[in-house]
Amino acid sequence: MTAHEISEFLAPIRHEFADQRSLILPALRFAQEEQGWLPQEAMAAVAEATGYSQAYVESVASFYDRLYTEPVGRRVISVCTTLSCMLRGSDELLAHVAANIGTDGEGTSADGMFTLQRAECLGACDRAPCLQVDSGDQQGPLTHDDADAIIGALRADGAPTRYDR
Amino acid sequence: MPQLNSVYRHREFQDLLTLSGYERAGGWNGLKATLEMSPDDALYAFHRSGLRGRGGAGFPMGRKASFLPKDSGRPTYVVCNADESEPGTFKDREILDNNPFQLVEGVAIASYGVGCERAYIYVRGEYGHQWDVLLRAIAECRATGRLGPDAFGPGAPFDITLYRGAGAYICGEETALLESLEGKRGQPRLKPPYPAVAGLYDCPTLINNVETLAALPPIMHRGADWYAALGPEKSPGTKIFSVSGHVLKPGNYEIVMGETTLRDLIFDLAGGLRDGREFKACWPGGSSVPVLTAEHLDTPLDYESLAGAGSFLGSGGCIVMDDSGCIVRASWRLAHFYRHESCGKCTPCREGTGWLEKILGRMVHGEGRLEDLAMLESLFGRISGRTLCALADGAVAPVQSALELFRDDFERVIEQGGSPVPEPMGVINA
Ligand SMILES: Cc1cc2nc3c(=O)[nH]c(=O)nc-3n(C[C@H](O)[C@H](O)[C@H](O)COP(=O)(O)O)c2cc1C
Ligand code: SF4
Ligand code: FES
């Protein structure tokens, strides 16, 4: 993604912030939509579009769990394992998803299709055990068969055109 | 056991996702009533209603709004905290999913009171669907002039900017949220100064939780006295409790404060437990509060009563565990959460949460020693009250209380060489 594209995205919202530094996070989120993570070029483009140094932009990005500074799979599956979900079988769900996509716990599948991560409370404890694909709906309560069906559908879909993590 | 859907108007009316549907359900009457008052009278109404902050700390909303200086010569901001990440809490999500205009109206009401022309709603990054709902709601309000140059009357502008986080529990802490909104790493600031005096961009700022602000439209429509008369004097109004864990009907329940007990909430509204299981423990106000036992089940749900029972109302996220669960394993899982979410700025929190997780982890995995209990106890005082923000206190509270109330269980886990994985409850479609 180029600095120009990011600037165009920011143009209509610039006036909403008294300090332009506030644009960094929206710019990072937008830049991540292209590849699903933030390679160096994307960081450089955000820096150029916002007028802050690349080092500063990277230090902001590295603070947030859902901004990825390393490559991740085409789909990121977050299984919540915080207490309410643990009490309803989240650890077993995580292990089941890992076995399905062929990762040893958290990590990226060999084909680059999926990254599996443990998440902290997704604000959907009424749906425990639950998972979220990218930042899509919090889905649950899930049996292991439900999880297989979700993964199967994702495989069939392939890569999204735009990543919203 | 009165339930009253004052914030959850979507449970009473249909089609609240469109502005016209919301108007048919009486939407915008609260703002209309507010705009007929002076801003000072509006502030006084907030105060008289007795509404307290629903994000965790329970601070009186009207008092906080009155702390904002009027003569600073700088813009004033209202910031809505929609970062909802406290484990066990999912009440704001339901508002955002189903009743976004009531939040928009509440933000507008608060903004009129404190003289704010631009408010912000900070939404946790994981709430993708909720973000989309809000985007549509804001767009519809702008298109119809509910937001924009004449929102509060000819030449009286008001608008709302949505801002999206990117995955960090700590950004729910108000000063960390402001840092994040200013385009920085989301690390808490030293207080004072409080946000009321020096908040967003160093300007006077009112920060309130989603549920707090969404409570305002009915208050201003029906009158502060109506609200103040609901429930106990110091904890008036309705409160939404999110119930999760080992209950048959997990979900959100909006109740009148003080008129429902913890037992009613868990065993009646939330459907109680599976056959053959007994109640073991619950964390009534999110994971950052002291745990309670069966002895406390008759506690009424309001700020004072829950504090009297040794816990807190907190965010209202009530996590329930039956006797299939293990308190040591549960405490360890919570310790993991706080270790993971500590922003690392204060040594007692950064190191202390790591030690809590480590010591509890070795108990769970059969490598605990009885001396570990004394070690845990000595840690509590070295973490609590010694840090910039309340995350560290929230990490200690559930563990310290668990050790006080369930010491036998900790000793048994150590002696038996660990805590077996509990049998998960499985999916129940009640
Ligand atoms: C670690 C930590 C996390 C918090 N997370 C949230 C949150 O997700 N949502 C929220 O409304 N308040 C949260 N709070 C409380 C806020 O700091 C603040 O008190 C609240 O937003 C004020 O609004 P209220 O008075 O309407 O409750 C958190 C506090 C701490 C210490
Ligand atoms: S208490 Fe913990 S989370 Fe809060 S500022 Fe200190 S290190 Fe960060
Ligand atoms: S604990 Fe899993 S969504 Fe809250």
Side-chain angles (χ1 to χ4, degrees):
Chain A
M1 189 166 292
T2 64
H4 180 71
E5 286 170 287
I6 296 172
S7 292
E8 283 194 335
F9 164 74
L10 295 176
I13 58 170
R14 271 185 195 276
H15 72 281
E16 298 185 22
F17 303 97
D19 185 334
Q20 299 294 294
R21 195 198 298 253
S22 293
L23 295 168
I24 293 175
L25 194 48
L28 283 166
R29 290 200 63 100
F30 179 69
Q32 186 167 267
E33 287 182 7
E34 189 173 70
Q35 296 187 48
W37 69 288
L38 291 162
Q40 288 288 311
E41 305 80 70
M43 301 272 199
V46 169
E48 195 186 330
T50 58
Y52 287 84
S53 73
Q54 187 172 337
Y56 180 75
V57 166
E58 283 174 28
S59 85
V60 172
S62 68
F63 186 79
Y64 297 95
D65 287 349
R66 293 285 181 109
L67 294 175
Y68 298 95
T69 52
E70 303 283 334
V72 282
R74 289 193 286 281
R75 293 295 196 165
V76 176
I77 302 177
S78 302
V79 176
C80 172
T81 58
T82 309
L83 183 55
S84 300
C85 285
M86 180 193 95
L87 294 173
R88 295 184 79 124
S90 66
D91 296 11
E92 293 79 1
L93 179 65
L94 182 82
H96 183 81
V97 173
N100 181 315
I101 64 173
T103 52
D104 181 18
E106 291 181 275
T108 300
S109 60
D111 59 2
M113 182 65 203
F114 297 109
T115 291
L116 174 62
Q117 62 187 19
R118 265 180 86 158
E120 299 301 345
C121 182
L122 291 168
C125 330
D126 52 339
R127 301 176 188 165
C130 66
L131 64 71
Q132 180 175 41
V133 179
D134 298 324
S135 68
D137 286 348
Q138 305 85 348
Q139 303 184 63
L142 298 179
T143 62
H144 293 183
D145 287 346
D146 295 335
D148 290 341
I150 291 170
I151 295 165
L154 291 171
R155 279 207 181 93
D157 282 355
T161 51
R162 174 183 153 264
Y163 296 91
D164 188 352
R165 305 289 202 205
Chain B
M1 188 192 15
Q3 269 191 278
L4 180 65
N5 292 318
S6 175
V7 171
Y8 278 176
R9 211 184 304 184
H10 59 277
R11 293 193 176 188
E12 306 289 327
F13 296 92
Q14 296 196 327
D15 189 29
L16 296 196
L17 288 173
T18 63
L19 187 50
S20 55
Y22 183 63
E23 282 166 353
R24 272 197 301 280
W28 256 271
N29 285 333
L31 180 62
K32 209 166 121 198
T34 308
L35 294 177
E36 284 163 11
M37 304 176 184
S38 69
D40 277 347
D41 285 347
L43 287 184
Y44 185 53
F46 304 162
H47 175 70
R48 273 189 308 140
S49 74
L51 173 64
R52 293 171 62 168
R54 304 301 194 218
F59 194 83
M61 186 272 166
R63 250 177 78 203
K64 188 152 81 180
S66 73
F67 291 157
L68 271 70
K70 295 197 168 61
D71 49 4
S72 70
R74 321 196 60 184
T76 293
Y77 293 113
V78 168
V79 176
C80 170
N81 188 340
D83 194 58
E84 185 166 70
S85 320
E86 176 75 8
T89 312
F90 45 90
K91 64 190 178 64
D92 298 342
R93 186 201 79 217
E94 185 168 334
I95 299 171
L96 302 172
D97 272 337
N98 302 293
N99 194 8
F101 292 103
Q102 187 160 334
L103 176 62
V104 170
E105 185 183 356
V107 172
I109 290 171
S111 296
Y112 177 77
V114 300
C116 156
E117 293 184 0
R118 179 164 304 276
Y120 297 85
I121 303 179
Y122 185 102
V123 185
R124 77 176 287 194
E126 292 86 343
Y127 277 5
H129 174 72
Q130 294 71 22
W131 171 259
D132 290 340
V133 174
L134 276 177
L135 273 181
R136 280 196 295 273
I138 297 287
E140 211 183 339
C141 288
R142 285 184 181 159
T144 53
R146 292 272 183 206
L147 291 174
D150 305 309
F152 289 164
F158 173 66
D159 202 357
I160 298 177
T161 292
L162 300 179
Y163 201 83
R164 185 141 171 222
Y169 167 67
I170 192 59
C171 288
E173 196 281 335
E174 55 188 16
T175 60
L177 186 155
L178 293 174
E179 290 285 294
S180 178
L181 184 44
E182 289 182 5
K184 301 174 190 160
R185 294 165 68 84
Q187 289 182 310
R189 299 174 181 167
L190 183 67
K191 291 191 270 195
Y194 289 92
V197 176
L200 185 63
Y201 309 129
D202 239 13
C203 297
T205 303
L206 175 68
I207 305 187
N208 277 119
N209 171 256
V210 168
E211 184 187 351
T212 315
L213 292 164
L216 288 174
I219 290 176
M220 300 309 280
H221 176 49
R222 305 182 68 165
D225 298 332
W226 162 76
Y227 197 79
L230 295 171
E233 194 184 335
K234 289 185 176 163
S235 295
T238 65
K239 172 78 190 96
I240 303 160
F241 281 85
S242 305
V243 191
S244 65
H246 289 146
V247 290
L248 293 178
K249 290 200 296 183
N252 288 310
Y253 301 95
E254 183 171 4
I255 49 124
V256 176
M257 206 85 83
E259 295 181 6
T260 302
T261 63
L262 196 50
R263 186 188 303 280
D264 297 333
L265 178 73
I266 295 169
F267 287 90
D268 190 346
L269 295 176
L273 310 174
R274 293 173 277 182
D275 278 347
R277 285 294 171 194
E278 294 208 2
F279 179 87
K280 173 81 180 182
C282 81
W283 295 259
S287 66
S288 304
V289 306
V291 67
L292 295 177
T293 68
E295 255 178 58
H296 303 112
L297 282 172
D298 291 313
T299 310
L301 297 174
D302 61 73
Y303 290 98
E304 277 67 35
S305 302
L306 282 165
S311 188
F312 294 111
L313 187 145
S315 62
C318 181
I319 307 170
V320 178
M321 187 171 84
D322 69 25
D323 61 354
S324 71
C326 165
I327 194 77
V328 184
R329 183 175 281 276
S331 303
W332 170 58
R333 186 55 55 100
L334 291 180
H336 167 82
F337 172 81
Y338 292 100
R339 198 270 301 148
H340 185 262
E341 300 299 333
S342 168
C343 83
K345 201 165 170 177
C346 321
T347 311
C349 174
R350 187 182 61 243
E351 302 292 324
T353 52
W355 278 104
L356 288 180
E357 183 185 13
K358 196 166 161 173
I359 296 170
L360 289 163
R362 68 179 180 237
M363 289 178 191
V364 166
H365 294 114
E367 287 138 28
R369 296 161 303 206
L370 282 171
E371 304 87 81
D372 282 342
L373 298 179
M375 199 163 169
L376 272 182
E377 280 163 340
S378 76
L379 264 176
F380 300 145
R382 285 191 277 153
I383 304 173
S384 281
R386 292 169 181 270
T387 55
L388 272 176
C389 90
L391 180 139
D393 303 340
V396 168
V399 181
Q400 182 168 14
S401 55
L403 187 51
E404 278 164 18
L405 295 170
F406 298 100
R407 198 180 176 92
D408 292 355
D409 293 48
F410 283 79
E411 287 172 356
R412 195 169 51 248
V413 163
I414 292 171
E415 278 157 9
Q416 289 178 350
S419 155
V421 180
E423 186 193 322
M425 185 169 171
V427 172
I428 292 182
N429 297 310

